[in-house]
Amino acid sequence: SSDSAPAQCPMREANIGGGGTRNRDWWANDLQTTILRQHQPVSNPLGKDFDYAAAFKSLDYEGVKKDLHKLMTDSQEWWPADFGHYGGLFVRMAWHSAGTYRVSDGRGGGGAGQQRFAPLNSWPDNVSLDKARRLLWPIKQKYGDKISWADLMLLTGNVALESMGVKTFGFAGGRPDTWEADESVYWGGETTWLGNDVRYSQGHRGIEGKGVVDSDEHKRDYKDIHTRDLEKPLAAAHMGLIYVNPEGPDGVPDPVAAGRDIRTTFGRMAMNDEETVALIAGGHAFGKTHGAGPSENIGKEPEDAPLEQQGLGWQNKLGRGNGPDTITSGLEVIWTATPNKWSNKYLEYLFKYEWELTKSPAGANQWVAKTNDEFIPDAYDPNKKHKPRMLTTDLALRFDPAFEKISRRYLEHPEELHDAFSRAWFKLLHRDMGPRSRWLGPEIPSEVLIWEDPIPPQTGPVIDDKDVAVLKEKILATGIQSQELITTAWASAASFRGSDKRGGANGARIRLEPQKKWEVNNPQQLAQVLGALEKVQEEFNSSASGGKKVSLADVIVLAGTAAVEKAAGVPVTFTPGRTDASQEQTDIQSFEHLEPVVDGFRNYGHGTSRVKTEQFLLDKANQLNLSIPEMVVLVGGLRVLNANWDGSSHGVFTTTPGKLTPDFFTNLLDMGIAWKATSSDQELYEGTDRKSGQKKWTATRHDLVLGAHAELRAVAEVYAEAGNEEKFKKDFAAAWTKVMDLDRFDVALDSTQA
Ligand code: HEM
């Protein structure tokens, strides 16, 4: 059942087909290098040349919408629609698709259709959404590759809202599907579904002024739902939930404590209090919850269900197993008298009635209005009526003082709720899509929103090859050291994260708050370099003919690229056309989430008690969409270019720093050198000549992992081999260009760089 420990794989003993005890079973701490080879052409049935944007442009968008509208009330016998309308179910499907997003690492979200794959397809919170997706199959089949599952699931939620009377803010397509589970996302360390014993640490209030905390007390504080802290980057309160426990924190029916959890969870989804209230009050204007009986009635989740169920899970033994007998969350609530129609009734009832704690038929904590009026319709029996009911988390919108204020305002001004809900819903669905240049379709709103991290469009002619040559010369004549140009360009471009496609060199936000202050960017040095580059830019722009302008964003990247070219002696590709964003276009608080804690490429930062330094390196490489060879060549190349964030010589295994040579690799693999840790936390190392005992190099874990890990070492060997010097330079240049262009969704680049 869904709340038990993960089942032992029944194929453990298989002796073919990938069976047997695996590396991960033997060595739990092995670096998960697989996260750097996900979503490769080999697993994509559409082939590597498939262009989703082009396919989407040929989609009969209005046709899809018409078919979706029809589907809303086309109740199927195998999964009947509550109240004759699938709207609530589809809104929940879209919300759960997008709601896994968390702003601290940008992962999760609906941008890749991951709800189709484990673990999300089998999360206890996603019960019955297997049915929702299967209801959509005829439409997916009809329109084929022109609309991805990722887009279709979210568009369906949007159309569901429209069919129930919401004026939506718009919709953008443009989410290509992935074809396998994304293993790069940390969902928590718990090994039981709905567990939360790893993600919370002791709240601050719990230890204040207490001196020594004995272990029992620690335990109590650890569980204190009023003070506990949720581990980053997580947003959800339990393993296998999208958000918080609907019964209240850890099942305790305390609406105020639930408010605290909601604020944390929705905050980490990038929502403020107003957006949070609007989303919950707007979402629960629709549909119902399902808890017709105890969860013992439902079978295995999709990943563990018998073959004949064909990917569906949670088979229900109660009654007919669907319709009025449906078991999903185990709660049994119908919020309003018009569950298929947009209204303000949710907030009206929330404040009109007092609420009494009761239990669902499945035994879960929920609330019922203290009234004798029974006027809420039944989902199937026209002769049955119910009292209004609410979840503990719904009551939080009234009993949390800050939420209450907002809720009352929305109660008194329904049009404000409508607008706030539409906007927050649009943000929820599009937050992880990256810049507007990726958005597709006829319903893109014209209003530009701050959370898009807007970048002004390129106007006027783009600089040409001749201009680039002139600019390079001027940059190299500024007297700024090459390694400073390189670290600045890297700092600018490597702020990108592939998860939600934020950051990157475009916009030149490195010159703005908060990026210019980040320690990893070496603010003092950065200011000097930017000052010199701004001068180059101004000179060019004041003298260029034909109204040509170069952006600082382009100059920053070009500066690093010119310096790499000089150090390498091979040409390095540069694609101009970036523009500069303003401080007003930059939400400082939101950008703070992009600050790297660790950046192994610049030898910045190190591990924690929970994450090893080299795991951070891998994570960063994953966010930069790098393969293992690209990560290895970049680390080794950046070291000999002397590009450490603080100018230290850790990992600079060369006597000619600043020249692009394979020296990092030849020296790393040199058996004449012996390594030993020089710090008790095993973060710093010293390499000495075995014969003379003389100290030769210093290194961090970021450096030495390239020689210690078998797969990384195999690649390092290639770059240390005789005859591969040119290959090393070319591969470094290509990987460099890839990083510089990670956010160039505005131009069509070579598909290997996309
Ligand atoms: C249903 C909890 C926020 C939309 C449900 C269900 C639960 C729940 C337990 C019942 C699932 C079932 O048994 O079928 C919560 C909690 C929330 C939250 C704890 C946050 C504190 C939201 C948001 C939206 C939303 C933000 C959308 C914007 C819906 C809809 C349904 C639903 C439409 C009805 C599904 C149906 O009719 O089948 N919610 N929810 N919820 N939720 Fe939420």
Side-chain angles (χ1 to χ4, degrees):
S1 80
S2 60
D3 53 0
S4 64
Q8 192 77 0
C9 173
M11 297 294 281
R12 250 314 143 72
E13 303 307 323
N15 63 2
I16 57 165
T21 314
R22 317 299 310 163
N23 286 345
R24 197 158 186 188
D25 303 320
W26 293 116
W27 301 286
N29 282 327
D30 188 30
L31 271 189
Q32 296 307 311
T33 44
T34 44
I35 69 169
L36 299 192
R37 44 174 167 265
Q38 300 192 119
H39 315 309
Q40 295 303 305
V42 72
S43 61
N44 183 347
L46 303 178
K48 86 176 182 9
D49 295 328
F50 175 71
D51 177 350
Y52 180 55
F56 188 92
K57 279 174 192 153
S58 69
L59 171 70
D60 175 8
Y61 189 82
E62 288 312 317
V64 181
K65 285 193 71 174
K66 236 168 94 188
D67 287 349
L68 287 172
H69 273 285
K70 251 191 268 156
L71 172 63
M72 294 299 153
T73 50
D74 186 12
S75 186
Q76 301 294 311
E77 218 177 290
W78 62 268
W79 196 257
D82 300 333
F83 313 102
H85 198 293
Y86 286 121
L89 178 64
F90 283 140
V91 169
R92 176 171 162 254
M93 175 188 71
W95 145 235
H96 282 209
S97 179
T100 53
Y101 174 80
R102 66 282 179 105
V103 71
S104 12
D105 67 358
R107 292 199 172 99
Q114 280 287 312
Q115 200 184 76
R116 295 182 294 148
F117 301 112
L120 302 179
N121 65 355
S122 293
W123 267 12
D125 217 3
N126 284 337
V127 178
S128 302
L129 296 181
D130 53 339
K131 316 300 189 298
R133 293 191 302 278
R134 204 54 70 84
L135 285 167
L136 278 178
W137 166 239
I139 293 180
K140 175 69 177 104
Q141 184 171 32
K142 176 174 170 185
Y143 293 93
D145 308 337
K146 293 174 182 171
I147 186 159
S148 63
W149 272 108
D151 276 343
L152 184 60
M153 282 191 271
L154 298 184
L155 178 61
T156 302
N158 218 54
V159 172
L161 289 177
E162 288 171 355
S163 76
M164 298 187 291
V166 173
K167 189 174 177 313
T168 62
F169 194 73
F171 184 82
R175 303 166 187 81
D177 276 332
T178 49
W179 301 93
E180 60 191 298
D182 180 357
E183 294 280 5
S184 75
V185 191
Y186 173 71
W187 293 119
E190 294 83 5
T191 53
T192 52
W193 292 120
L194 304 179
N196 64 357
D197 47 319
V198 178
R199 66 190 58 209
Y200 284 108
S201 63
Q202 191 172 22
H204 293 307
R205 210 178 70 196
I207 49 172
E208 238 169 55
K210 277 197 183 161
V212 180
V213 180
D214 70 39
S215 57
D216 275 354
E217 210 160 343
H218 175 267
K219 237 186 193 160
R220 204 195 66 215
D221 286 335
Y222 179 82
K223 279 279 161 205
D224 187 339
I225 54 176
H226 303 282
T227 59
R228 62 187 184 180
D229 290 329
L230 179 60
E231 178 187 20
K232 273 189 181 169
L234 298 178
H238 293 263
M239 175 62 94
L241 281 196
I242 310 296
Y243 34 79
V244 303
N245 190 328
E247 293 181 70
D250 296 359
V252 180
D254 178 339
V256 175
R260 185 177 187 270
D261 272 9
I262 291 172
R263 185 166 288 110
T264 303
T265 293
F266 279 72
R268 294 201 184 171
M269 279 179 209
M271 300 295 172
N272 63 25
D273 275 8
E274 306 218 336
E275 291 164 326
T276 301
V277 172
L279 279 172
I280 299 171
H284 289 178
F286 303 114
K288 74 183 286 287
T289 74
H290 301 84
S295 63
E296 288 86 81
N297 286 293
I298 60 174
K300 299 273 195 196
E301 61 271 29
E303 281 297 305
D304 221 4
L307 206 66
E308 64 272 19
Q309 285 182 31
Q310 291 294 289
L312 295 181
W314 301 294
Q315 203 171 63
N316 181 0
K317 291 195 302 241
L318 184 73
R320 287 161 43 188
N322 57 31
D325 300 314
T326 300
I327 300 169
T328 300
S329 61
L331 290 143
E332 189 58 43
V333 162
I334 303 167
W335 291 281
T336 88
T338 54
N340 311 336
K341 228 179 127 229
W342 173 256
S343 75
N344 229 27
K345 293 191 177 92
Y346 170 94
L347 289 178
E348 286 164 20
Y349 304 168
L350 182 65
F351 285 98
K352 176 172 174 190
Y353 297 107
E354 296 312 312
W355 300 90
E356 196 174 343
L357 186 62
T358 172
K359 297 259 187 224
S360 75
N365 285 320
Q366 58 180 44
W367 302 76
V368 61
K370 289 188 188 167
T371 175
N372 292 324
D373 287 353
E374 300 199 338
F375 60 95
I376 304 279
D378 188 80
Y380 293 94
D381 183 349
N383 301 315
K384 229 194 227 167
K385 298 286 178 216
H386 305 273
K387 291 178 188 176
R389 293 185 213 130
M390 292 271 168
L391 306 173
T392 302
T393 45
D394 294 315
L395 297 194
L397 302 193
R398 172 169 164 188
F399 293 102
D400 174 282
F403 286 153
E404 186 204 354
K405 262 195 218 143
I406 299 164
S407 299
R408 283 196 189 274
R409 179 155 52 78
Y410 290 151
L411 172 66
E412 280 152 29
H413 303 281
E415 71 294 345
E416 278 187 40
L417 173 65
H418 199 153
D419 184 57
F421 175 65
S422 303
R423 285 170 177 271
W425 174 261
F426 183 78
K427 178 176 173 180
L428 175 74
L429 266 49
H430 298 79
R431 183 76 198 85
D432 63 340
M433 279 193 79
R436 200 163 255 263
S437 49
R438 290 192 75 232
W439 301 8
L440 303 172
E443 294 192 284
I444 298 172
S446 54
E447 183 179 335
V448 174
L449 304 153
I450 187 72
W451 53 259
E452 290 173 35
D453 304 338
I455 292 168
Q458 161 77 31
T459 53
V462 177
I463 55 168
D464 59 24
D465 290 351
K466 262 196 358 233
D467 302 322
V468 167
V470 169
L471 280 162
K472 273 193 211 168
E473 229 170 85
K474 292 212 161 132
I475 290 163
L476 294 176
T478 54
I480 301 282
Q481 293 187 42
S482 280
Q483 73 253 32
E484 297 183 355
L485 300 176
I486 291 167
T487 45
T488 302
W490 179 270
S492 178
S495 60
F496 180 82
R497 54 186 199 189
S499 52
D500 59 358
K501 296 162 181 76
R502 300 186 65 201
N506 206 353
R509 287 195 161 94
I510 188 156
R511 78 194 195 289
L512 305 174
E513 296 279 1
Q515 260 163 274
K516 66 175 183 181
K517 297 262 181 70
W518 289 350
E519 183 186 56
V520 65
N521 290 345
N522 199 339
Q524 232 178 339
Q525 176 191 304
L526 177 66
Q528 277 170 7
V529 176
L530 290 179
L533 294 181
E534 271 164 13
K535 245 194 226 143
V536 172
Q537 180 204 11
E538 278 160 25
E539 263 177 44
F540 179 89
N541 287 348
S542 61
S543 64
S545 58
K548 249 187 230 169
K549 297 257 184 271
V550 66
S551 64
L552 189 65
D554 268 349
V555 175
I556 290 167
V557 171
L558 183 59
T561 300
V564 168
E565 212 168 51
K566 197 175 120 189
V570 296
V572 185
T573 310
F574 169 75
T575 308
R578 296 171 186 80
T579 63
D580 299 335
S582 67
Q583 189 68 65
E584 293 68 47
Q585 289 170 314
T586 307
D587 180 341
I588 295 175
Q589 215 189 343
S590 163
F591 265 92
E592 276 164 2
H593 295 292
L594 271 63
E595 179 172 4
V597 188
V598 178
D599 178 359
F601 295 91
R602 283 181 275 179
N603 239 335
Y604 174 76
H606 56 75
T608 65
S609 59
R610 304 255 298 130
V611 187
K612 285 185 186 171
T613 301
E614 53 273 30
Q615 289 172 321
F616 276 114
L617 174 65
L618 216 67
D619 188 69
K620 179 84 185 164
N622 172 264
Q623 290 281 28
L624 296 176
N625 298 344
L626 298 175
S627 66
I628 289 174
E630 287 166 342
M631 175 182 83
V632 170
V633 80
L634 278 169
V635 171
L638 287 167
R639 290 298 182 275
V640 295
L641 292 175
N642 212 6
N644 285 342
W645 74 284
D646 57 352
S648 81
S649 58
H650 300 316
V652 186
F653 308 149
T654 181
T655 53
T656 57
K659 258 182 83 179
L660 191 66
T661 63
D663 288 2
F664 173 90
F665 298 108
T666 50
N667 285 312
L668 180 70
L669 305 182
D670 180 355
M671 283 312 296
I673 306 288
W675 290 98
K676 69 165 198 288
T678 55
S679 69
S680 57
D681 58 2
Q682 310 209 309
E683 294 291 346
L684 284 180
Y685 294 80
E686 191 176 274
T688 52
D689 186 304
R690 278 185 208 275
K691 273 200 200 119
S692 68
Q694 220 182 10
K695 178 177 153 182
K696 295 266 302 199
W697 318 111
T698 59
T700 66
R701 297 187 73 86
H702 294 302
D703 305 317
L704 292 195
V705 72
L706 302 194
H709 187 274
E711 284 179 23
L712 307 189
R713 187 177 179 93
V715 176
E717 284 175 355
V718 169
Y719 292 121
E721 281 168 8
N724 278 352
E725 294 84 354
E726 284 309 303
K727 175 182 170 53
F728 160 70
K729 287 184 192 180
K730 272 196 207 144
D731 289 1
F732 178 85
W736 170 269
T737 303
K738 173 171 169 169
V739 172
M740 295 303 122
D741 293 343
L742 281 169
D743 61 353
R744 297 305 302 280
F745 302 108
D746 57 317
V747 288
L749 297 164
D750 179 335
S751 65
T752 56
Q753 291 176 19

